[in-house]
Amino acid sequence: MFLWLYLTPLLLLIDPHACTAQECAEFVDLDLSHAFIGTSVRVRLLLYTSEKGMCGTLMSHTDPTAHPQFNTSRLTTFLIHGYRPTGSPPRWLPTITELLLARTDMNLIVVDWNNGAATLNYFKAVENTHTVADNLTAFLEKLKENGVSMSSVHMIGISLGAHISGFVGANMNGSIGRITALDPAGPQFTGTLLKDRLDPSDAQFVDVLHTDIDALGFREPLGHVDFYPNAGTDQPGCPKSILSGSSYFKCDHQRSVFLYMESIKRVCEHKAYPCESYRGFLDGLCTSCERFGDAGCPVFGYDVTGWKDVLLKLNQTKTYFTTNPASPFCMTKYRVEVMIWNKAARWGRLTVKLHGADQEAVATIDHAAFEFKRFTGTRLLAQFDKDVKSVMKMSLKFSTGNVLQPKNRLRVLRVRLTPLEGRERPLCRYDVVVEEDREVTFRPLPCQDSNF
């Protein structure tokens, strides 16, 4: 702590223009020429509040209270970007700024370290994260002196910004209220010591989203709760070929920001399920939420603090959910139980459709072939692309993929459809014959108690 008192005057000199007032300060826009040459670290703090809306104010590093719209009693949120190899401002920055301001009354501080992040030398950008973190630590000490509670500080870090948040949190002895890490950077951080990356001790609560663990992101859990949409790897809707250009490299990584923005806006809810593996989650082995009490499984995103107390008790929780290729990204999950009365077992995959008054939702359960046995319930996780509020009809299609073999027939004794994310009663249908590769449609009814 005493070390920071001596270092603060030097650290605050990183941006010599930080005290200069200007109207509607904007994020520094650099170009590829700057990236080729490389840029030295210069930290700019852009303040946004409900009073001035999308008009940013360049803050003083030495006197935060010099800005009348900065209210020490509000929540203070820091938004910290990551590596900028081309020097351009993040395209999502205006949208997330607007969404955060609309969500709650806060001091929103956009940390512009484009000078330092704009370089083709990624290793230099990684090195610069420590300088940025030291600067922010000095600024937070100034906030403390002016009565800002560290519990009211929320840092949202993207990629390298996630580890910057962690370094600041460690410097502040874990007193920061919350760190949200959106696909924390993996290269140069994987396999390092705790002090050299984000970890749960860096804040009172750390929530992490992983969307690109097989390339630019960090694979292992880093927070009190870690979310892995679509296993944290290939995100639906992202290009599969290098012919798509730069989007092929950054789409999975950036999806973390777009998923988080959707949660701020409350477009829909991503309920996430704790599980040992993504395969186990897809197999429907992890649909229980009992450990979280009446609140159920945690919802990914801005509102996960509603589960903070129980998640802290559980120490570290790894969760999974799936998404659609585009917004709205949320999928609706049901447990499907199928019991057959064929004498011989059948192996295959199912496609389930739900029909409402004016919409149709589809769930294709094809990540593996499942065994259906006589008088034995086979449980499957069905994830639908839309939420059908009132199911009027249901369709089933059974397939084996065996083109050269005779077609099978699935004689269904009972199919039971149970919503995992609502309070509606399960729906059932009894005695249905499903021809292979032919869709059969029927009207389900509320399930009745029975002996099977």
Side-chain angles (χ1 to χ4, degrees), residues 234-249 251-252:
D234 298 329
Q235 300 302 311
C238 284
K240 304 299 183 186
S241 168
I242 197 171
L243 298 177
S244 302
S246 62
S247 181
Y248 172 75
F249 298 99
C251 181
D252 292 336

Side-chain angles (χ1 to χ4, degrees), residues 198-240:
L198 174 70
D199 74 80
S201 70
D202 292 333
Q204 297 174 35
F205 182 61
V206 179
D207 55 300
V208 185
L209 176 66
H210 304 260
T211 56
D212 194 23
I213 63 174
D214 55 351
L216 302 179
F218 197 98
R219 181 174 294 273
E220 299 303 321
L222 292 169
H224 295 105
V225 59
D226 288 72
F227 298 95
Y228 290 81
N230 311 298
T233 54
D234 298 329
Q235 300 302 311
C238 284
K240 304 299 183 186

Side-chain angles (χ1 to χ4, degrees), residues 66-98:
H67 311 283
Q69 67 270 36
F70 185 89
N71 188 332
T72 58
S73 63
R74 288 174 176 156
L75 171 72
T76 298
T77 301
F78 290 81
L79 186 61
I80 310 172
H81 65 87
Y83 182 44
R84 306 301 306 162
T86 65
S88 63
R91 67 185 180 96
W92 40 260
L93 186 57
T95 303
I96 195 171
T97 300
E98 189 172 8

Side-chain angles (χ1 to χ4, degrees), residues 46-51 59 69-79 96-97 99-110 139-140 143 147-156 175-180 204-205 207 260 264 302-303 305 308:
L46 308 180
L47 172 65
Y48 295 87
T49 62
S50 57
E51 289 86 355
M59 290 195 74
Q69 67 270 36
F70 185 89
N71 188 332
T72 58
S73 63
R74 288 174 176 156
L75 171 72
T76 298
T77 301
F78 290 81
L79 186 61
I96 195 171
T97 300
L99 288 173
L100 286 167
L101 290 177
R103 181 60 192 271
T104 189
D105 190 22
M106 67 171 67
N107 306 307
L108 175 59
I109 299 175
V110 173
F139 182 71
L140 280 178
L143 293 184
V148 174
S149 167
M150 291 299 98
S151 294
S152 69
V153 172
H154 179 195
M155 289 193 154
I156 303 173
S175 61
I176 291 174
R178 180 183 180 186
I179 291 176
T180 296
Q204 297 174 35
F205 182 61
D207 55 300
Y260 196 72
I264 299 170
Y302 193 82
D303 294 311
T305 48
K308 175 183 173 181

